[in-house]
Amino acid sequence: MKRISIFLIFLVSLTLMLGCTKDFDKFSENPNDPQQVSTGFILTYAQKYLMDNMRDEWFGGRCTFLLSQYWAQNNYTDEDRYLFRTTVTDAQWRYFYLGLMNLRDIVRLNTDEETKNDALANGANENQIAVANILTAYIMQIVTDTWGDVPFTQALLGNENQTPVYDKQSSIYPALITMLKDAAAMIDLNKDGIKSGDIIYNGDMALWKKFANSLRLRIALRMKAKDPAPFNEVVALGPDALIASNDEIAAFKYVGVAPNNGPLYDAWFTENRNDFTMSKPFVDLLKGVNDTLNSKTNPFTGIFDPRLPIFCTPVNGEYLGMPYGMTDSDTKAYAANCPNFKNDPSVVQASDFSYVLMDYAEVCFILSEANGWDQTWYANGVEASLEWWGVAAGDIATYMAALPAANQERVLTQKYIALYPQGEQGWFEYRRTGFPHTLVHPGEITHVGTSGNIIFTPLEGNQIPRRLLYPIEEQGVNANSYAAAVAQMGGDTQDINVWWAQ
Amino acid sequence: MRKLTLFLALMCLLGLQAAFAQRTITGKITSSEDKLGIPGATVLVKGTTVGVISDANGNFTLQVPKDKNILLISFVGMKTVQLTLGESNVVNVELSPEAQALEGVVITALGISREKKSLGYSVQNVSGEDLIKTRGEANFINTLSGRIAGVQVTGASGTMGGSSRILIRGVNSVSGNNQPLFVIDGIPIDNSDFNSTNTARGGGGFDYGNMAQDVNADDIESVSVLKGPNAAALYGSRAANGVILITTKKGKQAKGGGIGVTWNSSVTFDRVAMLPTYQNKYGGGTIYTGEDGKDGFAPGPVVNDVQMYVPDFYTDESWGPKYDPNIMVLAWNSFDEWDTENYLKPKPWVAPENDVIDFFKTGVGFNNTVSFTGATAVSNFRLSYSNLDADGYMPNSKQNKNTISFNGSTDLSDRLKAFTTFNYVKTVYVGRPETGYGDNNPMVRFNQWGQRQLDMEEMKAYLNPDGSQRTWNRTAWDDPTPVYSNNPYWSRYKDYQDDERNRYFGNVGLSYQICPSIRLQGKVNADYYNFRVRERIAIGSAFLSSYSEYLRENTEINSELMAFFNRNLSEKISLNATAGLNQMTRKYFRNGGATQGGLVLAGLYTLANSAVPASVDDYSNQKRINSILGSASFGYNNRLYLDLTGRNDWASTLPEDKNSYFYPSATVSFLLSELNYLKNFKPLSFAKVRVGWAQVGNDTDPYRLLNYYLANDNFGEYSSYRLPTTLNNDKLKPEITTSLEFGAELIFLNNRLGLDITYYDKSSKNQIIPVPTSSATGYRYQIVNAGEITNKGIEIALNTTPVKLNNGFQWDLNFNWAKNENMVVELAEGVNTYLLGSLFGIEVHAEEGKPYGSIRGYTYVTDDKGNKIVGTNGRYIQSTTIKSVGSVLPDWNMGISNTLKYKNWDFGFFFDIQKGGSLFSLTHMWGMYSGILEETAALNDKGNEMRDAVADGGGVLNQGVYGKLDADGNVVYLNPDGSTSEVPVANSTYVSALTWAADHYSRARASKNTFGADYIKLREIRLGYNLPSKYLGPIQKASVGVYARNLATWGLKNQHVDPESVTSAGNIQGIEGGQLPPLRSFGINLVLSF
């Protein structure tokens, strides 16, 4: 009987255990992740995520640094020859939009009645919204300049719109101008700036306002051929409304300690890749030598640029860049003589490098362009760049003394040099202006080998690409919008000009 | 509780009502071999669903209806005996061994034994003995391959303890689990797969296998496979993919009453069975074109005023100069002063003496099991201990597995019985090989990126005296820094992993006979393991040094209360019913970390040795499902059977107001052979038709309803959190799988020919899928209820005995054949394809209108006649969008087993055959690209070396016609000069071998590197001999066997890799990223029983 009682007790307890689902609360509560965090935490993430992915060895090293010919690969040169890995370009599309979603979330948390009071803990709502929107405009311009027509007005709506249409670039550009105007206007210097989490300006709203205006200047310039009005409007704000010195540069500086090393440090010293070196066209431009193979004259012939020793270290006492666009096999005879960033890392490979979003030199060059290739702004731009790179004062003076006077080619070529290593901007500006002339083009001689001239023969296309291919993924998950975009772009190839370049 | 009491009372009453028409039969079941009682044997009243199981001594008591007088007595591995009752109420039965039972008893859901002929669905059994006949396989799951119609098993090649993927009747879930539930002695055990997505897609990393492999094959009495939801409805959600039901050996009385001891010992040898075929004409690197070079070699050091030449150590390819014994160059190991044998000594440029095959060892594994069994009048037990100790075929790889298993039961009173099962398994691995496209997978360095002239014997000197690495992949002759590749010996000895798993599973329960027809049983099943994994990259490797460790813990408790009712309702109607409650609680915990920024001190593998503070990972989840379940099986007049089941689940993972779901099943079977006009048809011994319908519901993973922020590494002093990339959904509903099944079983010529044929049609709807959405929505995935997958198939099992002689010779020949047609009918709205995984631009999808696992990538462009289109440069053009080139799922699978017996000898061999299915081969793609595979140094169609310059008659001619795509994507024919042609013009433009080879990557990658996964494998051969008892003395039984596994393979579409290639049991299949070599094993084993 005793045994039976034990058994019954067991039965009853088991039944009670099964009795209800009230304890389900305990089981459905996620012990791992929070539902609420400070907006500052999200801002830090969004800023770092952007830089980590845009200026790394992939979208940077294997796309934009090659498209701008700042670098060349010293082996496996498919990308130098414009056969890009779709996995890399597809992923970058994703990185941009997923990053934008975090900025959108900051806007939401500062707008939504339920959350905006909590968000105040990290600064005034309008200041936080302005910062998120400035960064959004910054990213969106790069996205549209890389691909052309892209999702914008219907983007970032989560499950409210799963198949966003691709807006025409001709409508995205004006919208970005408006977005930046509104953001600058929204910034309230009398209220709290971003309290924590802003790596770029550490919450200095006055600088964010200047960045908003400067970025508007960049965007308006690029669409100037289509509509000069927005450009004239922002130039009219005057230089004081813009980034006005090297101290006001929009840049993201890495901590310099893992896991917060610069992405190019990680490429060489974490991933252990040593696939990239300086390209010959860029090194020759800085050395002041002419391209005799293709009969091109260096706009700064005979002037040695003091930034070159900062960008790389000579091998056997000589600065030799990798001839751009050679086959894997042809690179072998040259690789050993080109700068080796593994053995001699440059400041770009520094673990705590400051990756620039937009700098004072660029503002100067744009103002020079706005004022008919103005000499003063041109000289200011060159000097600002030399200073930022840490060129010694004496060398600056020597170089400035030798610098030939401003004209279109010189201003735009100096701008190209100063943009290093913003690979994407170097490439976009080439597409806008055709400068520098010194880039090696498909069909031109890139070098003279043992068996004669080595011609730059791309694997895809026959010119420097005008855009990248849309992600393969979009063909599946957003098929109709993709098809409509391809139709309105006139195809999905690397040779199609985006709106402002048409 | 009150309801339950009422229910039980009602059931008792029903039983009493029928009691008048019954008589009580008692008896004892013994074995013909040792004359001892057989516990756990089944006694069924023929033509009903009523039966009992014999106790520890083989005794049983059973109520038999007055009008029934035939009993079926059976035990797995024994011949079923049909016994006609006479006057006596006491019967004694002796069972003798039988290899296969066509008719008989099978174990069904919840461990209920049923007469096979009464079932309305298909169940197939394999005895444990068949599985362990060849003991070379550490993972028992692989031994099921080809054994059961409708069950596709794909094992990992060359991994120690790697994954086995099982598909029963195809794929049901787009993104969820597609593996069956494993149940051992009523204990559901976890079969998780912790491999990363990267490992699953062939991207590298270690294959830690799926967890069900912890089961010790030597303890298995039998395996029943419940294939469809019909058979499995009672196990709930997780059984939607079928159930692998394992029954372990139980204790029984030994001869003379003492303790019986069995010792089973074997040794197995593993050899690499297959490697790609390599080219042996050209060495590594590229051909040097600089003016200062010679014969394609670059200038190296000047020794005694003589200029030395060196190959290109930097490029990890094999497009270097042609071998020539007269060319003397400095090899990679000629630059270290301490290595006096090689220092600055030029060597001839020739193929290596010790090639890739010499890198591998013969693996040796010892497997010993000793078991003790015993039984008394009220108790029985079995205790076993197993040890597997193996040295792998790769340098520095070891495996050790110890298993202790105990089960026993005891009668506490006439009515109350207690029982328990306990298993402890400890597995320790050191140096599992890295899989796929991993940095330290030597196969990648041999087959994809490497130099052909390297000699394995020379590579063994992988260390400098100061402990730094010596690799062939030097930056330059005067710079030994590794570029891309470690020395493979460094990879194995320095960058190795180890892991350890401790697993406990078992149950404890009480069973109480309330009244003759009703039994109550309560039990608690538990499965717990902790699993510790440590991975290292040493300082001095080609990649940043690192160390990571992870500890995982998984606990699952199933508490179960069941009532069993077993009675005849009238003279013609029998009833066997169950009702029960179940509560499942699962808790998972993971804790670990990885160093960041490298290690500080060499050789010290701790998280504290991280250059900067190590990253931390911790995660836990828990889930509960409460269930009520019931079943009823009716038998009518020995010929018609009806089974009904139902289950209701409440799942903690679903929205609070929608967390309850019910799913039923029904099956009917009818014995045609009982009909009068067939009864007298002699050639037909037995005939049955059956039909079944079932549904199974399914819940989802924890925490998929609400959205959470995810933590990232702090940025200096700043915290960092982000949005998830998958948008959760608080409106989820359970998934539902519905299945309809028809079947027939026919037995002819007195059991000489048996046929079991099944047709099924399954559909899984409302699937909970993280649907990929355009990243432009802000999320990569959004979780929705959507989609439908269907599986339709035919399974045929044909068992024959072509030869049976009076002298005892018998040849059994059995076939299993199954064809499954899978279709992804629809995904979510606006989504027509779902990406499962990808590697190098090759994507595996669930694609609407195609079978699951569609392999997609850039393909050839063809005209409507099927000509491939070639550009005027002689290179293929490729599709502008990615397209499907095949599915990972095979067309059909087949197993053919042969057993020949003569007196004390038995001989068996077994073929495993697969037709169709596709596999993308990265080994093929990069092996071609890098000039390693044989095809890259073949003769071209002119009979010249393809690597010679095109101008000299070399190069390759791509078969096709000149053309291009116009703006609308239509093919336009071209002439060789590029002008438009009306008719196709055959390509006559040769391309260089290098371009041709590189185009395996850059042009039509999917078409060129995806192959059919067909194979015919001689899976095993075994010869056994039982020593005649007259020589044995005190030993009861002694047998010796020799066996071989994976002896031969035929019919491959890609000669370089084994089409059986998995690196995970998960859904990402069809990508071979760097296959480990398949192994061939040979062994001998000895079994002694005392």
Side-chain angles (χ1 to χ4, degrees), chain A residues 61-382:
Chain A
R62 288 183 184 83
C63 293
T64 63
F65 296 173
L66 303 176
L67 286 162
S68 55
Q69 295 188 17
Y70 289 136
W71 286 1
Q73 296 191 84
N74 52 30
N75 203 3
Y76 299 121
T77 55
D78 284 351
E79 291 93 352
D80 304 60
R81 302 169 68 201
Y82 307 141
L83 176 64
F84 297 100
R85 296 181 215 201
T86 51
T87 45
V88 174
T89 55
D90 291 11
Q92 190 59 36
W93 166 283
R94 206 158 62 224
Y95 297 146
F96 281 134
Y97 278 105
L98 297 181
L100 286 166
M101 192 67 201
N102 284 281
L103 296 170
R104 170 67 63 102
D105 199 48
I106 294 173
V107 175
R108 178 186 69 83
L109 292 169
N110 280 287
T111 312
D112 199 316
E113 291 301 331
E114 280 181 27
T115 53
K116 61 191 285 189
N117 276 334
D118 288 341
L120 280 176
N122 201 45
N125 293 136
E126 44 275 65
N127 286 342
Q128 294 193 57
I129 293 169
V131 166
N133 282 338
I134 294 164
L135 287 169
T136 297
Y138 173 84
I139 296 170
M140 274 314 300
Q141 188 198 11
I142 295 173
V143 173
T144 182
D145 285 358
T146 303
W147 283 282
D149 299 349
V150 292
F152 179 56
T153 49
Q154 294 186 3
L156 309 177
L157 293 176
N159 53 16
E160 286 166 35
N161 187 338
Q162 302 200 347
T163 53
V165 299
Y166 290 50
D167 295 272
K168 288 187 171 174
Q169 192 183 58
S170 54
S171 67
I172 295 172
Y173 256 78
L176 297 182
I177 300 278
T178 308
M179 189 181 241
L180 288 168
K181 263 196 228 176
D182 293 349
M186 188 182 268
I187 288 173
D188 188 338
L189 299 178
N190 297 318
K191 288 190 177 170
D192 282 338
I194 309 262
K195 288 185 180 165
S196 174
D198 173 17
I199 312 301
I200 294 172
Y201 280 132
N202 198 23
D204 186 330
M205 295 314 298
L207 291 179
W208 274 108
K209 196 165 193 161
K210 289 187 166 206
F211 178 37
N213 292 332
S214 305
L215 186 58
R216 201 174 123 201
L217 185 73
R218 175 193 273 180
I219 294 172
L221 172 66
R222 206 155 286 153
M223 63 174 283
K224 194 173 144 217
K226 294 289 172 191
D227 180 7
F231 183 68
N232 297 336
E233 196 183 331
V234 64
V235 169
L237 293 177
D240 289 346
L242 304 168
I243 293 171
S245 77
N246 279 346
D247 296 336
E248 298 179 355
I249 283 178
F252 185 92
K253 186 174 167 63
Y254 278 84
V255 176
V257 176
N260 297 306
N261 288 317
L264 293 177
Y265 172 91
D266 278 338
W268 266 270
F269 304 104
T270 304
E271 297 300 319
N272 224 17
R273 304 304 297 205
N274 193 19
D275 297 348
F276 315 97
T277 184
M278 300 293 280
S279 83
K280 183 171 186 289
F282 191 38
V283 170
D284 286 355
L285 176 65
L286 296 167
K287 273 159 74 178
V289 300
N290 295 323
D291 176 2
T292 51
L293 295 175
N294 298 300
S295 312
K296 290 184 194 170
T297 310
N298 188 327
F300 307 104
T301 309
I303 309 171
F304 183 88
D305 193 312
R307 284 169 289 193
L308 183 56
I310 295 168
F311 293 167
C312 63
T313 305
V315 176
N316 303 324
E318 230 184 320
Y319 290 98
L320 291 177
M322 172 65 72
Y324 186 89
M326 294 201 299
T327 62
D328 295 350
S329 164
D330 284 336
T331 57
K332 294 298 161 325
Y334 308 96
N337 299 320
C338 298
N340 184 327
F341 289 128
K342 177 105 190 164
N343 297 344
D344 299 299
S346 77
V347 62
V348 170
Q349 283 83 24
S351 60
D352 62 348
F353 186 60
S354 270
Y355 288 79
V356 170
L357 288 85
M358 190 168 185
D359 62 12
Y360 175 54
E362 184 181 350
V363 171
C364 295
F365 292 122
I366 297 174
L367 292 177
S368 170
E369 182 170 352
N371 293 291
W373 315 110
D374 176 81
Q375 173 67 28
T376 310
W377 281 117
Y378 162 67
N380 287 351
V382 174

